[in-house]
Amino acid sequence: GVQTCALPIWHLEEALEAGESPFTVRSTPAGVSRDVFEATIVRAEQGDIQAIRDCFQFYDASGNPDDPEAVRWLERGAELEDDECLDYLGDHHYRAGRADEAHACWSRAAALGNADSMYSLGRAALDVDRDDARRWLDRAQEAGHARSAYVLAIMAVQDEQHDAMVKWLDRSIELGDTEAMYERGAMH
């Protein structure tokens, strides 16, 4: 994980040798070299979207996608209207129980064409408005999201619409969903 309490001795030594305050040296995420980390931070602070995504991934790799540093980079990417950062930030808000904030992030990302956000909006709407859920899931599968077509197949089963179920299973298979492949094979 990220060291937050005490700086390792090499950080202190490097900071002092460079004439810097040891309290401003960033600790690096586990498994990331200091040089790569520092160079990525500089690019991210300059607004480089890929570097911002990389910074999020550095912290997300620690196993805690809700790490405050990971979230800080997602928020920075969201400010720049990056659809991936908006999608992940929506997921963060959803896990934290902030459905309205999640919906806002996913809506912004979906407007930018993010299929994962369209899927999340569809899943979130399932218990509230099945027609809205169906619309979002349909948009997501049109954008290539395999799981969306599979969920549409499940909805068709629930609605006792066999032909629609077969159509959505076949679309899900076309998009690469292995569970749909299994289900379709079991039908024969």
Side-chain angles (χ1 to χ4, degrees):
V2 176
Q3 299 161 352
T4 56
C5 296
L7 291 172
I9 193 70
W10 60 271
H11 275 296
L12 293 173
E13 290 169 356
E14 287 179 5
L16 293 172
E17 286 173 13
E20 300 171 353
S21 166
F23 301 106
T24 60
V25 176
R26 292 182 182 91
S27 57
T28 59
V32 179
S33 78
R34 183 166 189 248
D35 292 341
V36 168
F37 179 69
E38 290 295 330
T40 304
I41 291 286
V42 168
R43 289 191 347 267
E45 288 173 345
Q46 293 170 346
D48 180 310
I49 289 297
Q50 187 56 55
I52 290 169
R53 290 176 184 167
D54 290 345
C55 286
F56 164 69
Q57 293 297 327
F58 289 156
Y59 290 100
D60 185 47
S62 70
N64 179 11
D66 297 320
D67 179 291
E69 279 298 303
V71 173
R72 181 173 81 85
W73 288 111
L74 289 179
E75 289 170 342
R76 176 71 174 120
E79 289 170 7
L80 298 173
E81 292 298 305
D82 179 63
D83 68 304
E84 286 185 36
C85 289
L86 283 162
D87 180 60
Y88 285 122
L89 188 58
D91 294 345
H92 163 72
H93 288 310
Y94 190 79
R95 282 190 303 276
R98 295 185 298 268
D100 289 344
E101 291 176 53
H103 192 276
C105 288
W106 290 332
S107 293
R108 286 170 54 200
L112 294 168
N114 188 290
D116 290 330
S117 286
M118 293 173 198
Y119 173 73
S120 294
L121 288 165
R123 288 296 304 256
L126 276 173
D127 294 330
V128 181
D129 182 342
R130 285 177 64 86
D131 289 334
D132 190 41
R134 202 173 271 109
R135 277 190 296 277
W136 279 116
L137 293 168
D138 187 43
R139 285 184 61 191
Q141 69 79 26
E142 285 176 4
H145 196 278
R147 200 69 185 160
S148 294
Y150 185 76
V151 173
L152 285 165
I154 293 170
M155 291 175 73
V157 168
Q158 293 167 342
D159 296 340
E160 298 181 9
Q161 298 175 345
H162 179 77
D163 291 343
M165 181 264 306
V166 171
K167 168 189 155 187
W168 291 122
L169 273 182
D170 288 347
R171 175 64 175 151
S172 187
I173 291 167
E174 177 185 319
L175 295 171
D177 190 286
T178 55
E179 196 168 347
M181 292 175 196
Y182 172 79
E183 293 294 335
R184 189 70 165 101
M187 291 172 62
H188 295 292

